[in-house]
Amino acid sequence: QARAEELQDFEEKLGKPATEYENLDEVVVDLKLKKDLWMGVDEWSHLRHGWIDSALGDVNAELLEKKLQMFQKLTNKATKNLPGNPVVPRLKEAVEEFLPVLPVVVNLRHETLQDRHWDMIHDAIGFIIRTEQGLDPTFTVGSVIEKEVTAHAGRIEEVSTNAQQEAVLEGLMGKVAAIWADKELEVKNYKDV
């Protein structure tokens, strides 16, 4: 675009009518989207391999969510503006493969899960991923996909939500107990009142 403006300046100085580059803005937008798409494919490939091989306990769920949203926006924009581009459906499919994984990762990483909750999760999925020592370091995000843990997303979410609500109630009960801990209640016989 800067070059087009430079050429128009030269034409004006030579007394010639300036050439109009009508499609230049469209070409710039198109090329930017294609560049973003190809850069996105490369970044997605690196991120995906990193996540697949990462132990569940080491995954940054916030970053995973942020990146998934970013790539969803990119694939939606590319689908709309680059119809027929063969790269778009491949990237979109790869991103959509991870969409059901995100809530499972978030729910399994929730710090309010107690042993009783893990027992319910283990019963639902059919195998153990957390022991008394913590999450199994060999259980990766790839394992979530391979072992189809996402098929139990509803139950995992239910257990995780219950754990969060129980933690809130336990916190409130602890506060009430602390308030009443140093209080003395005077108990009188019914007849003395």
Side-chain angles (χ1 to χ4, degrees), residues 37-38 41-42 44-45 48 75 79 85-97:
L37 178 63
W38 283 103
V41 167
D42 183 54
W44 178 260
S45 177
R48 183 184 181 284
T75 57
T79 299
N85 186 312
V87 176
V88 176
R90 288 187 10 226
L91 179 61
K92 186 173 184 169
E93 184 180 323
V95 171
E96 287 176 350
E97 175 190 27

Side-chain angles (χ1 to χ4, degrees), residues 81-124:
N81 296 312
L82 298 173
N85 186 312
V87 176
V88 176
R90 288 187 10 226
L91 179 61
K92 186 173 184 169
E93 184 180 323
V95 171
E96 287 176 350
E97 175 190 27
F98 260 82
L99 292 179
V101 174
L102 175 64
V104 171
V105 169
V106 169
N107 287 321
L108 291 176
R109 296 283 318 281
H110 211 282
E111 57 195 33
T112 58
L113 292 171
Q114 302 293 319
D115 289 339
R116 64 183 180 273
H117 303 115
W118 282 108
D119 291 341
M120 289 184 248
I121 290 170
H122 295 150
D123 287 345

Side-chain angles (χ1 to χ4, degrees), residues 58-89:
D58 296 339
V59 173
N60 181 337
E62 286 181 29
L63 177 65
L64 176 63
E65 181 175 23
K66 182 180 171 184
K67 289 294 185 178
L68 276 174
Q69 288 174 351
M70 182 187 85
F71 280 101
Q72 275 186 293
K73 286 180 185 176
L74 174 61
T75 57
N76 289 339
K77 187 175 180 180
T79 299
K80 179 181 173 186
N81 296 312
L82 298 173
N85 186 312
V87 176
V88 176

Side-chain angles (χ1 to χ4, degrees), residues 8-167:
Q8 287 173 335
D9 284 345
F10 289 147
E11 289 173 332
E12 285 179 20
K13 288 178 185 174
L14 294 173
K16 303 243 180 202
T19 305
E20 292 296 323
Y21 298 98
E22 296 170 5
N23 297 333
L24 188 58
D25 289 337
E26 293 173 24
V27 170
V28 168
V29 169
D30 186 59
L31 286 176
K32 181 184 180 325
L33 183 54
K34 286 179 180 176
K35 177 186 172 204
D36 290 347
L37 178 63
W38 283 103
M39 299 289 284
V41 167
D42 183 54
E43 183 181 0
W44 178 260
S45 177
H46 292 328
L47 287 171
R48 183 184 181 284
H49 289 296
W51 289 329
I52 290 289
D53 297 334
S54 293
L56 185 63
D58 296 339
V59 173
N60 181 337
E62 286 181 29
L63 177 65
L64 176 63
E65 181 175 23
K66 182 180 171 184
K67 289 294 185 178
L68 276 174
Q69 288 174 351
M70 182 187 85
F71 280 101
Q72 275 186 293
K73 286 180 185 176
L74 174 61
T75 57
N76 289 339
K77 187 175 180 180
T79 299
K80 179 181 173 186
N81 296 312
L82 298 173
N85 186 312
V87 176
V88 176
R90 288 187 10 226
L91 179 61
K92 186 173 184 169
E93 184 180 323
V95 171
E96 287 176 350
E97 175 190 27
F98 260 82
L99 292 179
V101 174
L102 175 64
V104 171
V105 169
V106 169
N107 287 321
L108 291 176
R109 296 283 318 281
H110 211 282
E111 57 195 33
T112 58
L113 292 171
Q114 302 293 319
D115 289 339
R116 64 183 180 273
H117 303 115
W118 282 108
D119 291 341
M120 289 184 248
I121 290 170
H122 295 150
D123 287 345
I125 63 176
F127 55 91
I128 295 174
I129 60 173
R130 184 182 180 280
T131 63
E132 291 177 9
Q133 289 76 32
L135 285 171
D136 179 356
T138 64
F139 190 77
T140 64
V141 174
S143 303
V144 171
I145 296 169
E146 287 170 22
K147 296 185 178 199
E148 299 178 352
V149 176
T150 55
H152 308 284
R155 179 66 177 139
I156 292 169
E157 181 180 9
E158 178 186 340
V159 171
S160 180
T161 300
N162 287 343
Q164 293 171 50
Q165 292 171 346
E166 289 171 14

Side-chain angles (χ1 to χ4, degrees), residues 162-183:
N162 287 343
Q164 293 171 50
Q165 292 171 346
E166 289 171 14
V168 169
L169 289 175
E170 288 169 0
L172 290 173
M173 287 173 37
K175 288 179 183 177
V176 169
I179 290 171
W180 285 97
D182 60 349
K183 304 290 184 206

